[in-house]
């Protein structure tokens, strides 16, 4: 019997391939998983869960267990919560 090589399964989004339609390829690059967004923003996935529950950040609920995020829209939403010092003199 020939030896078969197992391909390790990863939780990362598969890389876009040339066989996919261009619209799907660009959408995959644009949408981030909760883990990817948490790493990008430097917060925990639990923090993202809280923000989603509080409706602080926009999200796409693909299925009940799969949520995706658009980075530019999340950053724009978080900018509304930026604390600015009022009356500071320099």
């Amino acid at each position: 019997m020939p030896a078969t090589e197992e391909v390790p399964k990863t939780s990362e989004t598969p890389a876009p391939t040339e066989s996919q339609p261009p619209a799907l390829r660009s959408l995959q690059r644009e949408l981030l998983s909760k883990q990817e967004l948490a790493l990008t923003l430097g917060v925990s996935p639990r923090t993202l869960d809280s923000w989603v529950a509080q409706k602080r950040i926009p999200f796409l609920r693909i299925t009940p267990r799969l949520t995706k995020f658009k980075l530019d829209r999340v950053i724009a939403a978080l900018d509304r919560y930026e604390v600015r010092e009022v009356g500071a003199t320099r």
Side-chain angles (χ1 to χ4, degrees):
M1 269 195 198
T4 59
E5 185 178 317
E6 280 191 41
V7 176
K9 293 183 180 179
T10 62
S11 61
E12 295 178 16
T13 306
T17 61
E18 293 300 320
S19 63
Q20 294 174 333
L24 183 59
R25 285 194 306 252
S26 68
L27 190 61
Q28 280 184 330
R29 278 183 257 141
E30 200 174 296
L31 297 177
L32 299 177
S33 69
K34 184 175 22 171
Q35 294 292 332
E36 292 167 336
L37 183 63
L39 286 172
T40 302
L41 296 178
V43 298
S44 73
R46 293 273 313 231
T47 298
L48 293 180
D49 289 336
S50 296
W51 290 349
V52 166
Q54 296 168 5
K55 298 189 185 335
R56 283 188 173 202
I57 58 173
F59 59 94
L60 297 168
R61 180 94 55 200
I62 309 297
T63 67
R65 295 180 66 182
L66 179 63
T67 304
K68 295 286 187 172
F69 304 88
K70 287 187 176 185
L71 182 60
D72 57 341
R73 294 186 69 198
V74 169
I75 290 174
L78 291 175
D79 281 343
R80 291 182 292 179
Y81 295 98
E82 182 180 355
V83 177
R84 295 186 183 119
E85 193 172 341
V86 177
T89 59
R90 285 196 162 194

